[in-house]
């Protein structure tokens, strides 16, 4: 149920914090402790959903030991399906009128949820955190981030806020809209912007990680950026068409010059090196853009196969019922496949 705008200033909504986790056994306990301590001050009705994205360490076991302590529902994947799918699963299992997405590494400050709640009371349906400090990141991430957002802003019909991550508060109607989207290749930053609704960004500076390193390597970041570009932009296809037109004009002009020289000036036509180099160049360009077309075709292929974006192996809910936390009666669900 969505709380009306007129009721927001005094409402005590049920808040669900959704946490995707992958190999975070050393951070997840402190993260859940910080989240639950803040939620107790925000509303009498709250719970936490942790989606274990096929972790290879003891993340699921650590979460399971804290289920009753922090009112956690553990959703465990059968294997690693990626953070975007983990977020989608978490949204589907969230029960609250408000849903907050946070990372499991503890870099998202729990205190910022107070500000998000206040913005929601002011009438905003989605409140997202905008990263302020990127100086500590590598030059690869800084350069790649600038290039990605520049490409998206110039080629996409939606406005994806720059430096806005997954740390955000969403009203129930926003969550329902996100869950209703049928696509399987998900780029959540673009989907958040696509559904619209009244949104606002608030600045934040990530906290340092207590343990470990980010699971996103350079290759994974490039793959995620490419997913975003191919999901919300046709820029690569337009570049292929533009390049084809430019090369065709150059080839036409060069051919005209050769014909004029041969007919009017009786100059010899250049030899084989020029011809061979030109053929190799044009063949390389053709293969490159055939590959671009293949990427878009692969997206279509994945969608029409209709395979589920993730498989839930197990769902474990709290064993004790506590009305102040709005926790449902205990039960253990059977493994299921989510389409």
């Amino acid at each position: 149920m969505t709380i009306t705008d007129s009721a927001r200033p005094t409402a005590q909504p049920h808040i669900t914090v959704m946490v995707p986790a992958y190999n975070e056994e050393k951070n997840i306990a402190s993260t859940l402790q910080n989240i639950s301590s803040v939620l107790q001050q925000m509303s009498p009705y709250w719970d936490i959903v942790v989606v274990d994205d096929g972790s290879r360490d003891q993340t699921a076991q650590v979460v399971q030991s804290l289920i009753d302590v922090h009112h956690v529902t553990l959703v465990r994947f059968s294997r690693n399906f990626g953070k975007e799918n983990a977020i989608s699963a978490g949204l589907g299992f969230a029960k609250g009128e408000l849903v907050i997405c946070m990372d499991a590494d503890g870099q998202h400050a729990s205190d910022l949820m107070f500000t998000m709640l206040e913005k929601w009371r002011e009438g905003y349906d989605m409140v997202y955190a905008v990263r302020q400090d990127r100086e500590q990141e590598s030059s690869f991430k800084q350069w790649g981030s600038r290039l990605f957002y520049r490409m998206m802003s110039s080629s996409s019909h939606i406005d994806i806020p720059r430096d806005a991550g997954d740390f955000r508060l969403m009203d129930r109607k926003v969550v329902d809209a996100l869950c209703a989207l049928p696509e399987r290749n998900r780029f959540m930053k673009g989907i958040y912007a696509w559904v619209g609704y009244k949104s606002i960004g608030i600045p934040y500076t990530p906290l340092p990680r207590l343990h470990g390193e980010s699971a996103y390597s350079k290759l994974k970041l490039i793959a995620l950026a490419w997913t975003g570009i191919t999901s919300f932009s046709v820029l690569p296809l337009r570049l292929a068409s533009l390049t084809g037109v430019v090369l065709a004009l150059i080839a036409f002009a060069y051919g005209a010059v050769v014909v004029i020289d041969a007919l009017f000036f009786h100059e010899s036509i250049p030899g084989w090196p020029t011809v061979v180099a030109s053929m190799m160049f044009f063949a390389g360009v053709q293969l490159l853009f055939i590959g671009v077309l293949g990427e878009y075709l692969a997206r279509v292929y994945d969608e029409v196969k209709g395979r589920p974006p993730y498989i839930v192996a197990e769902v474990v809910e709290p064993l004790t019922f506590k009305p102040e936390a709005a926790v449902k009666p205990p039960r253990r669900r059977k493994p299921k496949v989510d389409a």
Side-chain angles (χ1 to χ4, degrees):
M1 181 181 69
T2 300
I3 298 175
T4 61
D5 290 344
S6 60
R8 286 187 183 185
T10 58
Q12 294 293 329
H14 178 183
I15 303 174
T16 297
V17 173
M18 185 271 297
V19 183
Y22 177 68
N23 292 342
E24 294 289 354
E25 63 177 357
K26 296 182 179 179
N27 296 315
I28 191 65
S30 59
T31 298
L32 294 179
Q33 173 61 44
N34 292 335
I35 292 174
S36 62
S37 63
V38 172
L39 285 175
Q40 291 174 21
Q41 304 174 54
M42 294 175 65
S43 174
Y45 313 106
W46 58 272
D47 69 314
I48 303 173
V49 175
V50 175
V51 181
D52 177 39
D53 186 21
S55 297
R56 292 172 293 180
D57 59 7
Q58 300 299 311
T59 298
Q61 289 77 4
V62 173
V63 174
Q64 193 161 351
S65 68
L66 300 172
I67 281 179
D68 292 308
V69 178
H70 300 304
H71 316 312
V72 179
T73 296
L74 171 63
V75 180
R76 188 172 60 83
F77 282 176
S78 62
R79 64 170 178 84
N80 178 247
F81 285 93
K83 184 180 180 181
E84 308 297 290
N85 289 323
I87 293 175
S88 299
L91 294 176
F93 279 91
K95 301 182 285 286
E97 284 99 14
L98 300 182
V99 179
I100 301 175
C101 180
M102 298 182 66
D103 284 350
D105 56 15
Q107 290 191 281
H108 293 163
S110 300
D111 292 342
L112 200 61
M113 292 193 292
F114 288 113
T115 305
M116 291 181 171
L117 181 60
E118 288 303 316
K119 292 297 181 183
W120 175 80
R121 295 189 188 280
E122 294 175 9
Y124 292 98
D125 298 314
M126 182 156 46
V127 185
Y128 54 87
V130 180
R131 183 166 183 163
Q132 296 298 293
D133 183 16
R134 284 192 172 271
E135 294 180 358
Q136 297 180 353
E137 290 187 338
S138 64
S139 57
F140 171 81
K141 285 188 177 181
Q142 295 181 35
W143 175 84
S145 176
R146 288 195 295 267
L147 177 62
F148 170 76
Y149 284 108
R150 187 171 300 172
M151 292 178 62
M152 293 299 294
S153 62
S154 62
S155 61
S156 178
H157 62 282
I158 61 173
D159 182 21
I160 300 178
R162 183 170 181 173
D163 297 330
D166 297 310
F167 186 18
R168 61 185 64 216
L169 177 147
M170 293 162 281
D171 188 83
R172 169 49 58 180
K173 59 187 176 184
V174 177
V175 175
D176 290 342
L178 293 171
C179 293
L181 297 178
E183 60 193 88
R184 288 167 170 77
N185 289 298
R186 294 198 160 212
F187 177 66
M188 294 306 299
K189 291 182 180 65
I191 293 176
Y192 293 139
W194 186 88
V195 297
Y197 292 102
K198 188 177 181 181
S199 306
I200 188 173
I202 57 176
Y204 92 108
T205 300
L207 301 175
R209 288 178 63 99
L210 297 178
H211 304 282
E213 298 179 354
S214 173
Y216 269 96
S217 62
K218 292 181 179 180
L219 290 178
K220 287 185 178 180
L221 289 173
I222 293 174
L224 180 62
W226 182 247
T227 298
I229 292 172
T230 53
S231 297
F232 290 91
S233 171
V234 293
L235 179 62
L237 296 177
R238 290 176 178 172
L239 287 177
S241 300
L242 179 61
T243 303
V245 170
V246 172
L247 291 178
L249 292 175
I250 293 174
F252 178 79
Y254 179 72
V257 171
V258 171
V259 171
I260 292 173
D261 285 344
L263 293 178
F264 298 100
F265 300 100
H266 304 288
E267 294 184 2
S268 61
I269 300 176
W272 285 107
T274 302
V275 175
V276 173
S278 299
M279 291 179 61
M280 293 178 64
F281 173 74
F282 287 117
V285 171
Q286 288 176 345
L287 291 175
L288 173 64
F289 289 116
I290 288 175
V292 172
L293 291 172
E295 286 289 334
Y296 279 91
L297 182 60
R299 303 289 177 188
V300 177
Y301 177 61
D302 286 339
E303 295 293 332
V304 299
K305 281 190 298 186
R307 291 178 182 172
Y310 56 85
I311 297 177
V312 176
E314 183 182 30
V315 177
V316 184
E317 295 183 322
L319 299 177
T320 57
F321 177 72
K322 296 185 178 182
E324 67 274 12
V327 180
K328 290 184 177 181
R331 70 175 182 271
R332 184 180 294 266
R333 301 181 185 176
K334 295 181 179 179
K336 79 170 188 176
V337 177
D338 288 271

